[in-house]
Amino acid sequence: PDIQQRIAAAAAKTPAGEWIIGRGWDHTLWPGAKLPTRQDVDGFTRDHPAIFQRIDGHIALLNSAGLKAMGITRQTPDPEHGKIDRDATGEPTGIVREKVKDDILARLPKPTLAQRRRGIELALAEAARWGVTSVQDSISVEDDPAEWNNFLVYEDLEREGKLTARISAWLPFMAP
């Protein structure tokens, strides 16, 4: 499927050993509607740890390197409000649910300012491609102070004349 081509392209552009992070897959749209497994992406991610959130944000797929980086093995217990899917032999399939996914995402390296800017530029280009002229960004500095950098990127893009959409950012009253 298209997801494998996208993952392979991301892996080719990502420096060795860095995380590949993605979101938006929906297995219910694929032939057979089967959940993917770590084996489905291991060949495309090479030695990169990788995590891909499902479109609804409730589950994610990790590759084998991602499971290893997060210390998830057959002995790892399921936490309250979370689950590690396992195959018939008890090995993690790569699918993690709810609290497990949330805990992993909280431990991932934060994007650099340059990576954040590149992501915002790509999102703005996609919005422009579809004729979208206004977007919202719920900047959650209470949960992640680094998200303030989104606002700084928007300011830089505006100052440079490169902000191609009107941004409504929900900032807390006591933002830095």
Side-chain angles (χ1 to χ4, degrees), residues 44-166:
F44 301 98
T45 53
R46 300 190 310 267
D47 295 328
H48 297 283
I51 184 169
F52 308 101
Q53 285 190 79
R54 189 178 184 283
I55 194 166
D56 62 6
H58 290 281
I59 66 176
L61 171 66
L62 282 99
N63 68 350
S64 294
L67 289 168
K68 183 177 180 182
M70 290 296 152
I72 296 174
T73 67
R74 69 176 19 246
Q75 288 79 29
T76 305
D78 290 341
E80 187 175 1
H81 308 296
K83 183 176 186 290
I84 302 165
D85 285 15
R86 300 169 196 280
D87 64 20
T89 68
E91 290 295 326
T93 66
I95 294 291
V96 292
R97 299 171 185 266
E98 305 296 349
K99 182 160 178 29
V100 180
K101 174 203 57 88
D102 294 342
D103 289 348
I104 290 168
L105 292 175
R107 293 174 51 199
L108 292 178
K110 300 296 181 211
T112 65
L113 194 56
Q115 290 169 328
R116 192 175 293 270
R117 179 178 172 129
R118 179 71 179 133
I120 288 172
E121 289 172 338
L122 288 170
L124 288 170
E126 185 70 5
R129 185 171 85 84
W130 290 97
V132 175
T133 60
S134 181
V135 297
Q136 293 184 347
D137 186 346
S138 297
I139 297 173
S140 178
V141 294
E142 292 91 3
D143 296 333
D144 182 2
E147 284 198 20
W148 179 251
N149 290 326
N150 283 8
F151 183 76
L152 299 177
V153 168
Y154 296 136
E155 281 190 325
D156 287 346
L157 290 170
E158 182 179 31
R159 191 173 30 261
E160 296 165 15
K162 297 179 180 176
L163 191 60
T164 58
R166 176 173 287 144

